[in-house]
Amino acid sequence: MTFDLTPEQDQLRDAVRALGRRYGHSYFVEKARTGEHTTELWAEAGRLGYLGVNIPTEYGGGGGGITELAIVCEELAAAGCPLLLLVVSPAIAATVLSRHGTEEQRKRHLPGLADGSQKIVFAITEPEAGSNFHRLGTVARRDGDDWVLNGRKCYISGVDEAGHVLVVARTEDSSTGKLKPALFLVPTDAAGLTRSKLDMEIVSPENQFLLYLDDVRVPAEALLGESLDAGLPALFAGLNPERITVAAMGAGTGRYAIERASEYTATRKVWGGRSIGSHQGVSHPLAHAAVQVELARLMIQKAATLYDAGRDLEAGVSGNMAKYAAGEAAALAVDTAVQVLGGAGMTTEYGVATLLGAVRAGRIAPVSREMILNFVAQHVLGQDKSY
């Protein structure tokens, strides 16, 4: 057992950290406030190979795994630039395509995902069903050689930045007559696909949308994989990378908040020339938050290692635990940073209160803390299913 990164992973961490700090949190906030996207940062990260670290080399990627992509997510967040679309496009879409797409689909999409020139977003959540794919109302039916999709999706990130959306729908199994999940690569400019922006109380340059699919017609090759049988394994293939990279982003955000607060409390002097950080009422909460963030990082490393080793079931448990731990740690770290900075913590200048909405959302999405506790109770503790 080792907790050391490889030399290549160390170099990746240092390089991504340097890139993130060159842009910084002020860049991230400015883009969010003005309704723009982090186009420059994304393009440079793609050009340097960071967006494609987990994509096979034959498709222009770095040939690494989710461990490497988690490093990218964490270090950009630790620089104050938590990019949600890293989770959606390289982690979910690229992984699903790499593992379950046809060769033609891989050749068409993976090189663009690797160099950042293409983005694919993911649409599973629905107004009525949430993320419960057993109850999805979006349905795809065959019409000649085409597929026709109808349904609604909500909280879909980055549709305005993407060329395609990976839509989870349900199709009828001709052998059983039952509905089964399938994934479709739908162009975001497809006829019948419309969107409505959701106003969110989160400072982020990445937008959330409602999607409406009204008789959206796509060709047969839009079905992900060689057949309908690819649907369920493809769906699950994206869930563990999603949880691990969301957790990494949360851990990075926690590190950023603690670093900002520690710099302030070590130099801020109010009573008798001593720094406010010398008082345990200030330093202990920060130390406690730092412990929680580090514990989350260890679980992220374990989950990513298991996933990259092909141990999907174990990675599922660890990935859920990592997501839970990082969500709680990030929220604690940002809240603590605001508290120890006092009034300064609520200003945009000090750059921590701007993350309050994002870390609170991290306890809800992409899977809520309560559903993770249900998962652990059932699959780790052997309790009866509670829902």
Side-chain angles (χ1 to χ4, degrees):
M1 180 182 295
T2 177
F3 297 100
D4 295 327
L5 299 177
T6 66
E8 294 78 14
Q9 290 168 343
D10 261 329
Q11 291 170 8
L12 175 65
R13 184 179 291 280
D14 291 343
V16 176
R17 180 186 295 126
L19 173 66
R21 289 184 173 179
R22 192 147 47 79
Y23 284 86
H25 190 59
S26 60
Y27 164 83
F28 180 88
V29 172
E30 180 185 1
K31 292 294 183 180
R33 301 286 198 205
T34 57
E36 298 180 71
H37 302 304
T38 53
T39 306
E40 302 86 356
L41 174 55
W42 186 273
E44 188 166 357
R47 191 165 57 250
L48 294 171
Y50 306 150
L51 302 180
V53 289
N54 62 312
I55 293 174
T57 55
E58 58 264 38
Y59 304 106
I66 293 302
T67 298
E68 284 73 22
L69 187 58
I71 289 172
V72 175
C73 291
E74 182 181 341
E75 290 306 319
L76 286 179
C81 298
L83 300 186
L84 179 58
L85 287 192
L86 280 172
V87 174
V88 178
S89 196
I92 300 176
T95 298
V96 168
L97 279 161
S98 296
R99 293 183 63 167
H100 297 284
T102 65
E103 181 60 18
E104 177 57 34
Q105 289 167 344
R106 290 193 289 266
K107 287 180 178 178
R108 180 181 178 188
H109 296 289
L110 288 179
L113 294 178
D115 66 19
S117 62
Q118 183 177 168
K119 295 175 185 174
I120 298 177
V121 296
F122 185 62
I124 182 172
T125 306
E126 294 186 358
E128 301 300 326
S131 299
N132 181 0
F133 71 86
H134 297 290
R135 296 187 57 195
L136 293 181
T138 300
V139 175
R141 59 176 176 81
R142 289 303 297 260
D143 185 19
D145 292 334
D146 296 338
W147 289 95
V148 178
L149 283 70
N150 283 279
R152 292 186 300 161
K153 299 290 182 180
C154 61
Y155 303 115
I156 310 306
S157 307
V159 182
D160 55 334
E161 301 181 60
H164 287 79
V165 54
L166 193 56
V167 176
V168 183
R170 299 181 74 193
T171 64
E172 185 176 349
D173 187 336
S174 58
S175 61
T176 65
K178 296 181 178 179
L179 293 176
K180 59 192 299 186
L183 281 68
F184 295 88
L185 285 157
V186 179
T188 51
D189 61 357
L193 178 64
T194 56
R195 65 182 187 239
S196 175
K197 183 174 175 290
L198 284 164
D199 292 326
M200 307 291 290
E201 295 297 322
I202 297 174
V203 178
S204 173
E206 295 153 324
N207 296 317
Q208 302 291 315
F209 292 89
L210 290 167
L211 290 187
Y212 307 92
L213 299 100
D214 297 306
D215 290 332
V216 175
R217 183 177 294 270
V218 292
E221 57 267 25
L223 174 68
L224 186 110
E226 300 288 351
S227 71
L228 289 175
D229 292 335
L232 191 59
L235 178 58
F236 282 114
L239 297 183
N240 285 340
E242 176 189 51
R243 282 149 174 69
I244 294 167
T245 50
V246 164
M249 191 167 64
T253 301
R255 284 173 50 203
Y256 167 83
I258 292 168
E259 180 180 344
R260 295 288 290 167
S262 298
E263 289 172 352
Y264 180 86
T265 56
T267 56
R268 171 75 166 158
K269 296 178 180 179
V270 179
W271 300 288
R274 298 172 62 191
S275 69
I276 62 172
S278 67
H279 299 277
Q280 292 175 348
V282 173
S283 63
H284 280 191
L286 274 178
H288 174 62
V291 169
Q292 300 308 306
V293 170
E294 188 62 21
L295 291 174
R297 294 181 73 204
L298 288 172
M299 185 53 76
I300 293 163
Q301 185 177 0
K302 177 180 179 180
T305 300
L306 289 170
Y307 183 83
D308 290 338
R311 295 161 65 177
D312 287 354
L313 290 177
E314 294 165 278
V317 173
S318 295
N320 274 291
M321 289 183 172
K323 194 274 172 187
Y324 181 96
E328 299 299 301
L332 174 67
V334 172
D335 185 68
T336 301
V338 170
Q339 188 68 27
V340 300
L341 265 69
M346 295 303 297
T347 66
T348 303
E349 175 188 357
Y350 282 88
V352 286
T354 45
L355 294 166
L356 281 168
V359 295
R360 189 61 186 84
R363 300 175 73 205
I364 300 168
V367 57
S368 71
R369 63 193 297 276
E370 289 76 20
M371 287 305 296
I372 292 176
L373 293 175
N374 283 336
F375 178 91
V376 172
Q378 181 182 348
H379 295 283
V380 178
L381 305 180
Q383 303 303 302
D384 288 338
K385 190 174 181 179
S386 61
Y387 57 96

